[in-house]
Amino acid sequence: MHKAMIALTGVLLSGAVAAQTPPQPLRPEQATWFSPPAVPALKAAWLVGSEQGAGPYLLRVRLAAGGRFPPHTHPDTRYTTVLSGTLYVGFGERVDENAVVAVPAGAIYEAPAGEPHWVWAKDGDVEYQESGVAPTATRPLR
């Protein structure tokens, strides 16, 4: 009986594995990158989903050293994971360099829906990834 269960389990598992599709990597270098006209230091690409779509999205962002994205809001809550560098984040309608929070590589911060915030690559190039649930938008305050 024990050998029969092992054999049956092996058959079931091998069938399940054979039926699965192997994962397909999402490579940022194959994505379509864009820069907002007012922020040439920023490059972004939608890796999953889109701004106008419905459902989860992933937006990859590269901000060049010294670059800033001025105060803005989003209609949805966004979670940002810093992948490399240190991203400086300020909350509020005005830029205040003395009231920023340093978010190092590996850390995550939350920008609640409708909350004005801005980001700065103060110390060097930064790459980060934003996630949330679309539809979404970026609304500059000025």
Side-chain angles (χ1 to χ4, degrees), residues 49-57 133-136:
S50 69
E51 204 169 36
Q52 297 81 23
Y57 64 81
V133 179
T136 187

Side-chain angles (χ1 to χ4, degrees), residues 38-39 68-73 95 117-119 138-142:
V39 189
R68 295 179 197 228
F69 198 96
H72 61 281
T73 63
V95 171
H117 62 284
W118 57 279
V119 296
T138 299
R139 299 180 177 133
L141 294 185
R142 295 177 216 158

Side-chain angles (χ1 to χ4, degrees), residues 80-87 103-109 126-128:
T80 300
T81 304
V82 178
L83 303 173
S84 64
T86 299
L87 185 65
V103 183
I108 299 169
Y109 81 90
V126 179
E127 186 162 351
Y128 56 96

Side-chain angles (χ1 to χ4, degrees), residues 36-53:
V39 189
L42 186 138
K43 303 228 182 301
W46 294 97
L47 300 181
V48 173
S50 69
E51 204 169 36
Q52 297 81 23

Side-chain angles (χ1 to χ4, degrees), residues 6-137:
I6 292 172
L8 178 59
T9 302
V11 169
L12 291 175
L13 288 177
S14 66
V17 171
Q20 291 180 351
T21 304
Q24 298 298 313
L26 301 171
R27 298 185 188 278
E29 62 272 11
Q30 295 171 331
T32 301
W33 290 82
F34 63 92
S35 289
V39 189
L42 186 138
K43 303 228 182 301
W46 294 97
L47 300 181
V48 173
S50 69
E51 204 169 36
Q52 297 81 23
Y57 64 81
L58 292 176
L59 177 67
R60 182 68 59 93
V61 183
R62 295 176 179 154
L63 188 56
R68 295 179 197 228
F69 198 96
H72 61 281
T73 63
H74 308 288
D76 61 312
T77 296
R78 287 197 180 187
Y79 298 92
T80 300
T81 304
V82 178
L83 303 173
S84 64
T86 299
L87 185 65
Y88 290 81
V89 181
F91 283 86
E93 295 182 6
R94 289 186 167 39
V95 171
D96 180 354
E97 292 180 3
N98 297 314
V100 294
V101 173
V103 183
I108 299 169
Y109 81 90
E110 176 184 336
E115 183 73 27
H117 62 284
W118 57 279
V119 296
W120 180 21
K122 177 181 172 184
D123 298 335
D125 293 346
V126 179
E127 186 162 351
Y128 56 96
Q129 186 163 286
E130 296 185 339
S131 62
V133 179
T136 187

